[in-house]
Amino acid sequence: MDVINEIFATNKVLYQCACGHCKPLTHIYFCRYCLKMRCKDCVYHEVDSQYCQHCLEYIPTIDAKLKKNKCASCFQCPNCMHTLTPRTFLASVPSETDPNGMTTRKAQFLLCSYCKWSSKDVGIPDQFIGSGGWPEIEAPNRKRVEGLVDHYRVIAQRERMEKEKKRINPRPGHAIHLLDKYGISASLSAKLTESLRTKAYSGRISSNYLSASKSLTDIKLEPSLATDDVEPLDVDTFYNKDLIESEISSIEQRLMQVEMQPNTVSQFYPISKMLYVKRSLRCKECDHNIIKPEYNSSSIKFKIQLSAFYDIPEVKIASTPKLIPHKESMVELTFKNPYQYGMHVCLQPLKDEEMDESITGKIILPKAEFILECKDDTLEPELDSTQKTRYNDDPQLITFRRGNKIGLRLTVIPEIDSGRCRVCFRLRHDFVNSVVQNKSTGGSEPQVSWISHKIYVDLGPVIESKESIA
Amino acid sequence: MSASVGNFDQTVTIMPNAIVCREQTTIKGDVVIGSRTIIQPTVTIIAEKGPIIIGESNLIEEYVTIINKTDQPMVIGNNNVFEVGSHSESLEIQDNNVLEYKCRIGPKVKLTNGCVIGTMCDFNDDLTLPENTVVYGPDCKMRKQLERPALQTFQLDFLSKIMPNYQRIEKPRKGVKNDEK
């Protein structure tokens, strides 16, 4: 896992998102419509569909709400949180036809293959196949909580109604709204439209009021009372009884069963699996989808996936030298073009006002522009010998060129005596937009635009000189 | 062919009806294998000083290692299952225990009846596990099970029928004690 994190989620090279957050390239999206970086903190998250991660069953949103976002058929072990597996066996039951005889019937119980917890441990009767699901345990405060939720819903509704009543200009009713939509109201007389408006409004209000007042009387809720009576503390259970560790549940186990919070192992009950959601992400500025997963819950593919990993050049540290404070050292960075078009790239220093405290080193950037070739899966870089001669590369600056990847040698001067050396620069490149076509050229030519990103590179700790320590 | 032939000491005793596959199996020192016990290929059983006594109807799967490094005798009871890759140095394993895949138990542990050592558990505490204890997870958490694990009778019957058709089986024999030589 560490190796994977090192490659895909390294914090050494951070890109600044349009919202100002710095994140590794793998955590950033790139909106091809606004041509801006987006991260999970600056996009809309929308729930696409709900599904059970274990049985992969798709559950519609309304059903999921009714089932408290839990799967009806999959359970988790209350002891170790592993998924429980139903075990089928043949049980002998009294026969229906012969009162004295016995017959066998398929029954099942739930078993955890990890810690061997089974539904028999807590005395849950075995389920016969075809007799429906496992009985659901009722939470002790369910009625009270539901009553409170209903009560406050009514109160919220009433408050909303009062607010609406206070409004001077009533919102047009649905009928009048239609009139406006199709431009009929202009052709009707002013008197007629006004009467229609008031009619629609008053009718709506009164009907709403009726239902609201009705439901308030329906709910009979006892208000909670504060009492001075406190249950006496049973000292015996805490001090005088032997503690058997294996019979008491741990805090994690109690919190996993938050409705019941069993104190002892014998009160455990299989936990229903919580549903997972598929999310789609939407750009806040242009309302285009950035991520849209496929609807099918067993699919891991995406319909739309505008991850920056596919569009923006990837910067990596190839080699870090010994960083001596206030002295020049050579750092090798690699740039890789993941996009289907070639790119012209140039590196720009930050403006003075863009500098911040976290930048602890100075980087000397080349003025020249260089070209990154497009990504070509079929290309074999070792065989392509013409590439070296095709570009007039300065060997002092460019250490190697292999396919869509290029190595640059840059000079860094750490400006601190101890700590980590961080440098920052702007990466400016052209971007051929294959999604958005340029309207001015008649839609046939792809639109080319220049974009720039602020990139922070953490080169690691500087070597503290012995003089400064002494 | 030398690799496929088992590596057995003269001191090994194999009771009648026991099935001991020869292929890449190493059994060394003073070892007694009880009847109806099945030892699959690539198993290593080594009695360095003290003897190893394995009871009846045990199932010892591939890549299992059982080593006795002490002077005391190691006693393994009946109906135990050693799953693939498990490693045991425990001196006392009674009946109906299961050692799951790649688990490892040290010489200080003693198992009573119906205990389960979970997959990948590395367990070497100085204690005797009470009956029906389950050890699981990377932290070797313990819990008590209601029932002991199911017997592997069906699997044993099946293997004892099928194994001789495909494997070279070591014949039952009486081990020669070192001092008798």
Side-chain angles (χ1 to χ4, degrees):
Chain A
M1 204 58 201
D2 284 347
V3 177
I4 292 173
N5 277 341
E6 188 69 28
I7 297 167
F8 290 115
T10 174
N11 283 325
K12 283 180 179 161
V13 180
L14 298 177
Y15 289 67
Q16 194 177 47
C17 169
C19 68
H21 285 156
C22 290
K23 296 222 160 80
L25 187 65
T26 43
H27 291 198
I28 283 185
Y29 312 103
F30 180 70
C31 180
R32 283 188 190 172
Y33 302 91
C34 324
L35 297 175
K36 272 179 189 162
M37 297 244 204
R38 300 273 175 241
C39 66
K40 66 171 185 187
D41 300 326
C42 60
V43 288
Y44 289 121
H45 294 246
E46 291 165 3
V47 173
D48 264 12
S49 60
Q50 274 137 320
Y51 68 101
C52 170
Q53 55 156 353
H54 184 61
C55 63
L56 292 176
E57 194 187 284
Y58 162 74
I59 291 148
T61 316
I62 301 163
D63 284 12
K65 209 173 178 185
L66 282 174
K67 289 173 183 168
K68 297 173 194 160
N69 291 318
K70 284 171 182 172
C71 179
S73 51
C74 300
F75 295 94
Q76 231 177 325
C77 174
N79 190 54
C80 68
M81 316 313 154
H82 200 263
T83 306
L84 292 172
T85 38
R87 274 284 165 91
T88 312
F89 67 103
L90 283 172
S92 53
V93 286
S95 173
E96 282 171 23
T97 47
D98 177 17
N100 297 323
M102 297 292 272
T103 176
T104 54
R105 215 179 144 187
K106 270 189 183 171
Q108 57 179 199
F109 63 97
L110 296 167
L111 180 78
C112 172
S113 57
Y114 193 59
C115 70
K116 310 283 180 267
W117 186 89
S118 85
S119 58
K120 289 180 176 205
D121 278 18
V122 287
I124 301 168
D126 300 329
Q127 288 291 304
F128 295 110
I129 299 229
S131 66
W134 292 83
E136 202 175 312
I137 200 160
E138 191 165 310
N141 293 324
R142 192 180 70 101
K143 274 209 174 119
R144 176 77 185 164
V145 171
E146 275 176 6
L148 284 171
V149 167
D150 283 348
H151 180 78
Y152 282 110
R153 190 183 292 142
V154 170
I155 288 177
Q157 203 178 351
R158 199 164 57 177
E159 278 177 359
R160 199 167 56 228
M161 212 69 75
E162 275 163 10
K163 219 184 227 172
E164 212 161 277
K165 214 172 133 193
K166 274 180 195 162
R167 261 189 225 165
I168 308 152
N169 288 328
R171 254 190 359 212
H174 55 275
I176 209 77
H177 171 71
L178 279 178
L179 291 182
D180 286 342
K181 193 177 175 186
Y182 297 108
I184 304 167
S185 55
S187 61
L188 294 173
S189 74
K191 208 177 172 185
L192 189 65
T193 42
E194 194 50 48
S195 69
L196 266 173
R197 258 180 224 280
T198 44
K199 215 178 215 175
Y201 177 66
S202 62
R204 200 157 57 90
I205 288 291
S206 63
S207 68
N208 275 344
Y209 248 99
L210 205 67
S211 65
S213 55
K214 212 177 184 181
S215 51
L216 249 190
T217 49
D218 281 350
I219 296 165
K220 283 173 193 132
L221 198 70
E222 283 176 33
S224 338
L225 283 174
T227 56
D228 287 337
D229 306 329
V230 180
E231 279 178 41
L233 185 69
D234 192 3
V235 181
D236 266 13
T237 50
F238 289 103
Y239 293 103
N240 299 339
K241 270 189 190 162
D242 280 343
L243 192 78
I244 304 165
E245 203 195 349
S246 61
E247 286 179 6
I248 294 169
S249 59
S250 69
I251 291 179
E252 289 89 17
Q253 289 166 348
R254 280 180 212 187
L255 292 180
M256 280 304 288
Q257 307 169 63
V258 85
E259 303 110 319
M260 307 303 298
Q261 303 189 18
N263 291 333
T264 59
V265 170
S266 57
Q267 290 171 314
F268 277 177
Y269 198 82
I271 311 166
S272 296
K273 276 250 177 217
M274 294 302 274
L275 298 181
Y276 275 49
V277 295
K278 282 205 167 196
R279 273 184 311 179
S280 65
L281 305 180
R282 192 181 287 280
C283 177
K284 275 187 182 174
E285 259 174 50
C286 66
D287 275 354
H288 281 101
N289 269 121
I290 289 174
I291 297 283
K292 184 135 186 90
E294 271 187 12
Y295 209 56
N296 185 2
S297 53
S298 60
S299 169
I300 54 161
K301 288 179 184 161
F302 291 88
K303 281 184 198 157
I304 302 165
Q305 191 181 23
L306 301 182
S307 188
F309 200 68
Y310 296 115
D311 297 342
I312 306 298
E314 187 189 1
V315 180
K316 270 187 181 172
I317 304 167
S319 66
T320 38
K322 285 176 181 168
L323 296 164
I324 299 157
H326 311 292
K327 284 209 175 125
E328 287 188 4
S329 13
M330 298 302 262
V331 174
E332 194 184 352
L333 298 179
T334 61
F335 293 77
K336 194 170 146 193
N337 180 8
Y339 199 49
Q340 52 183 323
Y341 293 99
M343 277 180 187
H344 296 78
V345 177
C346 66
L347 305 177
Q348 292 177 329
L350 292 188
K351 289 171 198 142
D352 283 343
E353 64 265 23
E354 283 180 315
M355 299 295 272
D356 58 59
E357 288 160 5
S358 67
I359 302 163
T360 53
K362 198 179 163 194
I363 188 160
I364 295 162
L365 300 162
K367 293 214 168 58
E369 197 178 277
F370 50 91
I371 296 164
L372 278 179
E373 270 199 26
C374 63
K375 186 188 176 180
D376 186 359
D377 290 332
T378 56
L379 184 85
E380 286 189 44
E382 275 71 28
L383 298 177
D384 189 13
S385 57
T386 58
Q387 206 190 15
K388 263 188 187 162
T389 50
R390 212 183 310 152
Y391 302 98
N392 201 6
D393 286 338
D394 178 9
Q396 285 295 310
L397 174 69
I398 290 169
T399 51
F400 72 90
R401 182 184 276 280
R402 201 180 297 137
N404 58 342
K405 206 171 172 185
I406 195 171
L408 284 192
R409 194 183 285 129
L410 301 166
T411 310
V412 167
I413 306 164
E415 289 176 328
I416 39 159
D417 294 319
S418 63
R420 297 183 79 85
C421 177
R422 281 180 101 203
V423 293
C424 184
F425 56 87
R426 272 192 175 278
L427 176 80
R428 210 170 114 83
H429 63 95
D430 60 343
F431 182 77
V432 182
N433 205 332
S434 58
V435 181
V436 184
Q437 305 281 309
N438 198 346
K439 278 178 190 128
S440 60
T441 53
S444 55
E445 290 281 304
Q447 186 185 325
V448 182
S449 33
W450 281 83
I451 43 180
S452 80
H453 318 289
K454 200 171 168 188
I455 296 172
Y456 289 87
V457 183
D458 188 339
L459 294 167
V462 295
I463 293 169
E464 291 175 40
S465 60
K466 278 170 190 161
E467 290 155 34
S468 68
I469 294 166
Chain B
M1 284 303 281
S2 62
S4 69
V5 176
N7 186 1
F8 295 91
D9 273 3
Q10 288 295 308
T11 46
V12 176
T13 303
I14 300 171
M15 296 291 194
N17 288 330
I19 290 180
V20 181
C21 299
R22 262 194 205 166
E23 198 175 324
Q24 294 183 43
T25 300
T26 307
I27 303 181
K28 292 197 160 192
D30 190 356
V31 179
V32 179
I33 294 160
S35 63
R36 293 193 300 283
T37 286
I38 292 179
I39 296 183
Q40 295 187 3
T42 65
V43 168
T44 309
I45 300 172
I46 298 172
E48 286 181 0
K49 291 170 197 157
I52 297 178
I53 299 148
I54 298 174
E56 293 180 4
S57 302
N58 293 297
L59 176 59
I60 300 176
E61 293 183 353
E62 288 95 339
Y63 298 105
V64 168
T65 314
I66 299 171
I67 300 181
N68 185 6
K69 293 179 179 171
T70 61
D71 298 331
Q72 271 93 41
M74 175 189 271
V75 182
I76 294 169
N78 306 328
N79 296 311
N80 296 297
V81 181
F82 293 77
E83 289 182 5
V84 176
S86 56
H87 178 108
S88 166
E89 293 178 31
S90 166
L91 293 179
E92 190 187 327
I93 294 177
Q94 292 181 17
D95 302 340
N96 293 91
N97 298 293
V98 179
L99 272 69
E100 286 187 349
Y101 308 101
K102 289 216 158 197
C103 74
R104 206 182 165 88
I105 51 172
K108 293 175 191 166
V109 186
K110 282 179 182 168
L111 306 188
T112 55
N113 297 316
C115 295
V116 179
I117 310 289
T119 306
M120 281 298 278
C121 284
D122 190 346
F123 194 62
N124 191 24
D125 293 355
D126 187 4
L127 86 158
T128 307
L129 292 183
E131 293 206 358
N132 300 357
T133 306
V134 182
V135 179
Y136 65 95
D139 311 323
C140 291
K141 285 183 190 163
M142 273 193 259
R143 63 176 291 272
K144 200 167 150 48
Q145 204 181 357
L146 195 73
E147 290 171 340
R148 57 177 54 178
L151 288 180
Q152 295 289 325
T153 335
F154 181 77
Q155 174 78 349
L156 282 170
D157 285 351
F158 175 73
L159 285 176
S160 59
K161 267 182 215 149
I162 212 95
M163 278 285 193
N165 298 342
Y166 300 98
Q167 293 284 338
R168 261 186 284 265
I169 307 295
E170 189 75 11
K171 288 193 183 73
R173 62 175 181 189
K174 177 101 177 59
V176 184
K177 287 272 180 284
N178 274 337
D179 42 284
E180 288 172 24
K181 263 190 222 170

